[in-house]
Coordinates of all heavy atoms in Angstrom, one line a residue:
T362 N 97.3 84.7 115.5 CA 96.4 83.6 114.9 C 95.0 83.9 115.0 O 94.5 84.3 116.2 CB 96.7 82.3 115.4 OG1 98.1 82.0 115.3 CG2 95.9 81.2 114.8
V363 N 94.2 83.8 114.0 CA 92.7 83.9 114.0 C 92.2 82.5 113.7 O 92.5 82.0 112.7 CB 92.2 84.9 113.0 CG1 90.7 85.0 113.0 CG2 92.8 86.3 113.3
A364 N 91.4 82.0 114.6 CA 90.9 80.6 114.5 C 89.3 80.7 114.4 O 88.7 81.4 115.2 CB 91.3 79.8 115.6
A365 N 88.8 79.8 113.6 CA 87.3 79.7 113.5 C 86.9 78.5 114.3 O 87.7 77.6 114.7 CB 86.9 79.5 112.0
A366 N 85.6 78.4 114.6 CA 85.0 77.3 115.4 C 85.2 76.0 114.7 O 85.3 74.9 115.3 CB 83.6 77.5 115.6
S367 N 85.3 76.0 113.4 CA 85.5 74.7 112.6 C 86.9 74.1 112.7 O 87.1 73.0 112.4 CB 85.3 75.0 111.1 OG 86.3 75.9 110.6
G368 N 87.9 74.9 113.3 CA 89.2 74.5 113.4 C 90.2 75.1 112.4 O 91.4 75.0 112.5
L369 N 89.6 75.8 111.4 CA 90.4 76.5 110.4 C 91.1 77.7 111.1 O 90.5 78.4 111.9 CB 89.6 76.9 109.3 CG 90.3 77.7 108.1 CD1 89.5 77.4 106.8 CD2 90.3 79.2 108.4
S370 N 92.4 77.9 110.8 CA 93.1 79.0 111.4 C 94.0 79.7 110.4 O 94.5 79.0 109.4 CB 93.9 78.6 112.6 OG 94.9 77.7 112.2
V371 N 94.2 81.0 110.5 CA 95.2 81.7 109.7 C 96.1 82.5 110.6 O 95.6 83.1 111.6 CB 94.4 82.7 108.8 CG1 95.4 83.5 108.0 CG2 93.5 81.9 107.8
A372 N 97.4 82.5 110.4 CA 98.3 83.2 111.2 C 99.3 84.0 110.4 O 99.8 83.6 109.4 CB 99.1 82.2 112.1
V373 N 99.5 85.2 110.9 CA 100.6 86.1 110.3 C 101.7 86.2 111.3 O 101.5 86.2 112.5 CB 100.0 87.5 110.0 CG1 99.0 87.5 108.9 CG2 99.4 88.2 111.3
G374 N 102.9 86.2 110.8 CA 104.1 86.2 111.7 C 105.3 87.0 111.1 O 105.3 87.4 110.0
I375 N 106.2 87.2 112.1 CA 107.5 87.8 111.7 C 108.6 87.1 112.6 O 108.4 86.8 113.7 CB 107.5 89.3 112.0 CG1 108.8 90.0 111.6 CG2 107.1 89.6 113.4 CD1 108.8 91.5 111.6
T376 N 109.7 86.9 111.9 CA 110.8 86.2 112.6 C 112.1 86.9 112.3 O 112.4 87.3 111.2 CB 110.9 84.7 112.2 OG1 109.7 84.0 112.4 CG2 112.1 84.0 112.9
D377 N 112.9 87.1 113.3 CA 114.3 87.6 113.2 C 115.2 86.5 113.4 O 115.4 86.0 114.5 CB 114.5 88.7 114.2 CG 116.0 89.1 114.3 OD1 116.7 88.8 113.3 OD2 116.4 89.8 115.3
Y378 N 115.7 85.9 112.3 CA 116.7 84.8 112.3 C 118.1 85.5 112.6 O 118.6 86.3 111.8 CB 116.8 84.1 111.0 CG 115.5 83.4 110.6 CD1 114.7 83.9 109.5 CD2 115.0 82.3 111.2 CE1 113.5 83.3 109.2 CE2 113.9 81.7 110.9 CZ 113.1 82.2 109.8 OH 111.9 81.6 109.4
Y379 N 118.6 85.1 113.8 CA 119.9 85.7 114.2 C 120.9 84.6 114.4 O 120.7 83.6 115.1 CB 119.7 86.4 115.5 CG 120.9 86.9 116.2 CD1 121.9 87.5 115.5 CD2 121.1 86.7 117.6 CE1 123.1 88.0 116.1 CE2 122.3 87.2 118.2 CZ 123.2 87.8 117.5 OH 124.4 88.2 118.1
F380 N 122.0 84.7 113.6 CA 123.1 83.7 113.7 C 124.3 84.4 114.4 O 125.1 85.1 113.7 CB 123.5 83.2 112.3 CG 122.3 82.6 111.6 CD1 121.5 83.3 110.8 CD2 122.1 81.2 111.8 CE1 120.4 82.7 110.1 CE2 121.0 80.6 111.2 CZ 120.2 81.3 110.3
P381 N 124.5 84.2 115.7 CA 125.5 84.9 116.5 C 126.9 84.3 116.3 O 127.6 84.1 117.3 CB 125.0 84.8 117.9 CG 124.4 83.4 117.9 CD 123.7 83.3 116.5
A382 N 127.4 84.0 115.1 CA 128.7 83.5 114.9 C 129.8 84.6 115.3 O 129.5 85.8 115.1 CB 128.9 83.1 113.5
P383 N 130.9 84.2 115.8 CA 131.9 85.3 116.2 C 132.3 86.2 115.1 O 132.6 87.4 115.3 CB 133.1 84.4 116.7 CG 132.5 83.1 117.1 CD 131.4 82.9 116.2
D384 N 132.3 85.7 113.8 CA 132.8 86.5 112.7 C 131.6 87.1 111.9 O 131.8 87.6 110.8 CB 133.7 85.7 111.8 CG 133.0 84.4 111.3 OD1 131.9 84.1 111.8 OD2 133.5 83.8 110.3
A385 N 130.4 87.0 112.4 CA 129.2 87.4 111.7 C 129.2 89.0 111.6 O 129.6 89.6 112.6 CB 127.9 86.9 112.4
R386 N 128.8 89.5 110.5 CA 128.7 90.9 110.3 C 127.4 91.4 111.0 O 126.3 90.9 110.8 CB 128.6 91.3 108.8 CG 128.5 92.8 108.6 CD 128.7 93.1 107.1 NE 127.7 92.5 106.2 CZ 126.5 93.0 106.0 NH1 126.2 94.2 106.6 NH2 125.7 92.4 105.2
A387 N 127.5 92.5 111.8 CA 126.4 93.0 112.6 C 125.3 93.6 111.6 O 125.6 94.0 110.5 CB 126.8 94.0 113.6
G388 N 124.1 93.6 112.1 CA 123.1 94.3 111.4 C 122.2 93.3 110.6 O 122.2 92.1 110.8
F389 N 121.4 93.9 109.6 CA 120.5 93.2 108.8 C 120.9 93.1 107.3 O 121.7 94.0 106.9 CB 119.1 93.8 108.9 CG 118.5 93.7 110.3 CD1 118.9 94.4 111.4 CD2 117.4 92.8 110.5 CE1 118.3 94.3 112.6 CE2 116.8 92.7 111.8 CZ 117.3 93.4 112.8
G390 N 120.3 92.2 106.6 CA 120.6 92.2 105.2 C 121.4 91.0 104.8 O 121.9 90.2 105.6
A391 N 121.7 90.9 103.5 CA 122.4 89.8 102.9 C 123.8 89.7 103.6 O 124.6 90.7 103.6 CB 122.6 89.9 101.4
G392 N 124.2 88.5 104.1 CA 125.5 88.3 104.7 C 125.6 88.8 106.1 O 126.7 88.6 106.7
A393 N 124.6 89.4 106.6 CA 124.6 89.9 108.0 C 124.1 88.9 109.0 O 123.6 87.9 108.6 CB 123.8 91.2 108.1
A394 N 124.3 89.2 110.3 CA 123.9 88.2 111.3 C 122.3 88.1 111.4 O 121.9 87.0 111.8 CB 124.4 88.7 112.7
H395 N 121.6 89.1 111.0 CA 120.1 89.1 111.2 C 119.5 89.0 109.8 O 119.9 89.7 108.8 CB 119.6 90.4 111.8 CG 120.0 90.5 113.3 ND1 119.3 90.0 114.3 CD2 121.2 91.1 113.8 CE1 119.9 90.3 115.5 NE2 121.1 90.9 115.2
T396 N 118.5 88.1 109.7 CA 117.6 88.0 108.5 C 116.2 88.0 109.0 O 115.8 87.2 109.8 CB 118.0 86.7 107.7 OG1 119.3 86.7 107.3 CG2 117.0 86.6 106.5

């Protein structure tokens, strides 16, 4: 996050959404455990 004295801020981010269901397909991509 980059914040200005005025209170304005801009943030760049990255998230790994992981759904650890027992039958989830490992790896990344459509239908996989990681998005």
Side-chain angles (χ1 to χ4, degrees):
T362 303
V363 178
S367 64
L369 182 149
S370 66
V371 177
V373 293
I375 181 171
T376 301
D377 171 15
Y378 298 108
Y379 171 46
F380 300 93
D384 58 347
R386 180 170 62 84
F389 292 74
H395 294 270
T396 298

